Amino acid sequence: MARSDHLFRSEQFTQRRFTGADVMVLLGVAVLMYLGARLAIRAPAVIKGPDISLAPAALPTYALFSTGRMLAAYILSFLFTLVYGYAAAYNRRAEAVLMPLLDVLQSVPILSFLPVVLLSLSAVLPLGIAAELASIVLIFTSQAWNMTFAWYQSLTTIPVALREASSIFRFNRWVRLKTLELPFGANSLIWNSMMSWAGGWFFLMAAEIFTVGQRDFRLPGLGAYLSEAARQGDMQAILMGLGTLVLVIVALDQFVWRPLLAWSERFKLEMVESDNPPTSWFYNLLRSSRLVEGLSERVWRPLSERLDGWLIRRLPPLQMTESGEGRPAWPTYLLMAVLVAGLLYGAYRAGLMLLGLPLTQWGWVGAGVLATLLRVIAALVIALAWTIPVGVAIGTNERLARWLQPVVQVTASVPATALFPVVLLALISTPGGLGVAAVLLMLLGTQWYLLFNVIAGAAAIPQDLKYTAALLGLSRWERWRTLILPALFPFIVTGAITASGGAWNASIVAEHIQFAGQSYYTTGVGALIARATADGNYALLLAATLSMVLTVVVINRVFWRQLYRLAEDRFRME
């Protein structure tokens, strides 16, 4: 793809504010939530889930169930990331719709979408299947968006020379994906996968046990165990559940993430090898295993070569540009007309539901959005203040990373919602009370998106540029100003977009808390969503959710997209 064409696409996308695509996307979300609410009304009036045992003997089985749900959701997230990010990065027309849609999707709060998904599925499927699917879908929504943003950012910042070389060598889509795009984005994808799992663990309690009026949905798992322990105020069970979760996270770090990071070191774009590359004892064990080598030679490599040959024969070589500017056929126009008509009718029905909402409750929604916005800004500023220096230290110092990365992975993955009731009891009598505690919990749901992206960006800085900065005798401030911050800028923007979405999501559990039979809440749109869900007030739930989504989309369009444009135009690693 020519540089001028890519910059034109970037400017066309990032300079605009709102278009018809944005309006259609927002209408689509409103219609889907309305349809879900209508289906939810038809769900069984009373649902009683299975009892959750707090016995220590149940923990291994619960850990297995939760890890299985997380893995299923991650596979869906990874496939979604590859397809969605690829389409948005290489098709101008698709980008105009897909990126606004991604803005909306990552801003839809998981806990306001959960009752709609769960109740609508329970109206058409057996209860057990509906609960499992809803849990996986909701974990998916906490994993997919930051991975997709990172993949899109990687594809749009591939050096033009490498992109043009792939065209000169007549690579088709499969060869380019395998030899250029996946290797270039491997480091960022791995770090964001770690963050996605951490985000999934954070919302696991909400995804495995949920109450809507007289409907009590429960799935056996660590999240349900921790939630039930918090509801009963059983601190011993909370600690045992957290201990089991920590063991699972440490095992994943040692057997999955550390080996993947060591393997991805070969794909860094640099001319000088790093002094302290990431290492993994398990990765070294696999490399030295004769059994693994035999399986690779006799099974994996022949299968890979057959797949490569089959795809090379069936996919044509790529052209120098991929603008996606073909003229749509008439079936496309017909499909669009039907879609627009359906959206308009659904929007009309959703509008009738919203018109039935009293004016007083609309005032609650406005005040709640403003209060939550201030908390999100405070959490984001605090997160930026500490994640940038700490992330750079971890990403550029492998010895430090070897010790701190498992600690960060464990800390990020421990559901703050499990410990938050205890923190709340300590802060409830202080000035600010739940307002301060809400900012703290939103910070816990925000900071890791930034930290993991900063670590990935710092680790991706080429070693030859570090040597050049040292040879020039740059001071520490000059090195930060001319090398580190420019190199980190695209990663900071990606992390900040997903972090702000995470903060809005976390507001629902931060502003309305139940512990040991007591309810605590403060002014905020998250508290409104939580209370509307518990009361089955679908009109208020729809109004509060759409207000939150619209606020996040406006912020992304006015502020974050301008920074994305700056990252693509001025801070590409060329």
Side-chain angles (χ1 to χ4, degrees):
M1 181 182 298
R3 179 177 178 83
S4 58
D5 177 67
H6 173 74
L7 292 182
F8 172 76
R9 294 198 314 74
S10 172
E11 291 172 6
Q12 182 193 51
F13 172 60
T14 53
Q15 283 182 342
R16 64 182 176 85
R17 296 296 188 267
F18 286 94
T19 66
D22 298 294
V23 175
M24 288 187 64
V25 167
L26 290 172
L27 286 178
V29 172
V31 170
L32 287 176
M33 291 202 64
Y34 168 76
L35 292 176
R38 297 302 302 175
L39 281 174
I41 295 174
R42 302 179 184 177
V46 179
I47 296 175
K48 175 62 177 176
D51 293 332
I52 302 300
S53 172
L54 297 185
L59 284 172
T61 303
Y62 286 175
L64 183 62
F65 286 156
S66 293
T67 305
R69 293 184 192 107
M70 291 280 290
L71 179 60
Y74 176 76
I75 292 173
L76 288 177
S77 300
F78 188 77
L79 295 175
F80 174 87
T81 293
L82 293 183
V83 175
Y84 199 102
Y86 199 93
Y90 289 126
N91 190 295
R92 194 182 304 173
R93 183 178 289 108
E95 181 187 50
V97 177
L98 293 180
M99 292 312 292
L101 178 59
L102 193 63
D103 280 341
V104 174
L105 290 175
Q106 69 96 23
S107 63
V108 173
I110 177 178
L111 298 183
S112 66
F113 199 55
L114 178 58
V116 173
V117 173
L118 192 52
L119 293 177
S120 58
L121 287 176
S122 65
V124 297
L125 293 173
L127 181 60
I129 297 176
E132 287 288 353
L133 287 178
S135 176
I136 292 172
V137 168
L138 270 298
I139 295 173
F140 162 85
T141 63
S142 68
Q143 292 181 340
W145 317 136
N146 63 295
M147 291 172 59
T148 306
F149 272 115
W151 177 237
Y152 171 80
Q153 178 244 319
S154 296
L155 292 177
T156 55
T157 55
I158 292 176
V160 174
L162 295 181
R163 196 185 301 278
E164 291 180 345
S166 69
S167 298
I168 292 172
F169 286 109
R170 297 179 60 81
F171 287 176
N172 63 12
R173 294 182 187 275
W174 168 250
V175 176
R176 186 177 65 179
L177 176 68
K178 181 180 178 180
T179 61
L180 174 60
E181 293 158 345
L182 280 176
F184 186 83
N187 195 266
S188 179
L189 274 177
I190 291 171
W191 279 105
N192 276 277
S193 294
M194 295 164 66
M195 183 63 249
S196 291
W197 274 73
W201 291 122
F202 184 91
F203 287 106
L204 189 67
M205 290 173 63
E208 289 186 346
I209 187 167
F210 203 83
T211 302
V212 183
Q214 297 299 314
R215 305 177 180 102
D216 188 4
F217 298 90
R218 300 182 179 206
L219 290 170
L222 284 178
Y225 183 95
L226 289 169
S227 182
E228 181 66 17
R231 189 186 67 82
Q232 296 184 18
D234 190 337
M235 285 303 302
Q236 182 179 357
I238 289 177
L239 293 177
M240 287 192 299
L242 287 175
T244 304
L245 180 58
V246 167
L247 289 177
V248 172
I249 294 167
V250 171
L252 287 173
D253 178 76
Q254 292 298 308
F255 293 104
V256 178
W257 303 123
R258 290 298 299 179
L260 284 176
L261 285 174
W263 169 78
S264 68
E265 182 69 11
R266 67 180 69 184
F267 302 124
K268 290 182 65 174
L269 188 64
E270 58 186 12
M271 293 183 291
V272 180
E273 186 177 357
S274 175
D275 290 335
N276 295 296
T279 58
S280 166
W281 65 269
F282 187 63
Y283 178 66
N284 293 335
L285 182 66
L286 291 178
R287 291 184 64 186
S288 61
S289 170
R290 292 183 178 272
L291 178 61
V292 172
E293 183 180 358
L295 288 174
S296 176
E297 290 291 337
R298 297 180 182 180
V299 179
W300 172 250
R301 186 167 297 175
L303 288 176
S304 177
E305 290 176 352
R306 288 183 181 180
L307 178 63
D308 290 346
W310 185 80
L311 289 172
I312 289 172
R313 288 192 300 271
R314 280 159 177 76
L315 294 177
L318 293 168
Q319 303 298 318
M320 287 294 291
T321 60
E322 296 176 54
S323 62
E325 285 295 320
R327 183 180 180 83
W330 68 266
T332 303
Y333 287 117
L334 179 61
L335 179 62
M336 291 176 61
V338 173
L339 178 62
V340 170
L343 286 178
L344 291 177
Y345 177 74
Y348 167 73
R349 301 294 300 179
L352 291 179
M353 177 180 282
L354 293 176
L355 286 175
L357 196 66
L359 189 61
T360 303
Q361 295 187 14
W362 279 109
W364 297 349
V365 172
V369 168
L370 180 60
T372 303
L373 174 62
L374 295 177
R375 295 189 185 101
V376 169
I377 294 173
L380 199 58
V381 170
I382 296 172
L384 284 169
W386 81 266
T387 56
I388 293 177
V390 173
V392 170
I394 295 176
T396 57
N397 188 327
E398 174 56 27
R399 293 180 180 176
L400 185 63
R402 195 174 295 122
W403 293 99
L404 285 185
Q405 182 196 318
V407 175
V408 169
Q409 179 71 10
V410 169
T411 308
S413 301
V414 171
T417 46
L419 294 175
F420 188 62
V422 181
V423 177
L424 173 65
L425 293 179
L427 294 177
I428 196 66
S429 60
T430 63
L434 183 57
V436 175
V439 173
L440 177 61
L441 183 58
M442 291 165 70
L443 176 65
L444 295 175
T446 296
Q447 57 193 0
W448 309 118
Y449 292 98
L450 278 166
L451 180 62
F452 279 70
N453 274 279
V454 171
I455 292 173
I461 298 176
Q463 188 69 25
D464 49 328
L465 294 185
K466 298 177 186 177
Y467 286 156
T468 301
L471 289 174
L472 292 175
L474 299 180
S475 65
R476 178 172 299 181
W477 164 243
E478 289 174 334
R479 189 174 304 180
W480 272 82
R481 183 176 61 85
T482 60
L483 174 60
I484 297 176
L485 288 179
L488 292 181
F489 191 77
F491 295 88
I492 293 175
V493 173
T494 298
I497 291 176
T498 51
S500 61
W504 285 98
N505 266 299
S507 69
I508 301 175
V509 293
E511 295 173 348
H512 185 272
I513 301 295
Q514 289 184 335
F515 181 69
Q518 296 290 325
S519 294
Y520 305 90
Y521 61 87
T522 186
T523 301
V525 70
L528 279 178
I529 291 173
R531 293 168 63 188
T533 300
D535 297 338
N537 188 343
Y538 297 112
L540 181 58
L541 175 63
L542 179 62
T545 301
L546 289 180
S547 299
M548 178 186 287
V549 169
L550 185 60
T551 302
V552 176
V553 170
V554 169
I555 293 172
N556 286 351
R557 278 281 170 266
V558 173
F559 183 68
W560 293 119
R561 282 298 155 200
Q562 301 306 310
L563 295 183
Y564 235 130
R565 177 196 173 196
L566 187 63
E568 290 184 359
D569 291 352
R570 294 190 55 188
F571 299 108
R572 295 162 60 94
M573 196 70 72
E574 295 285 2

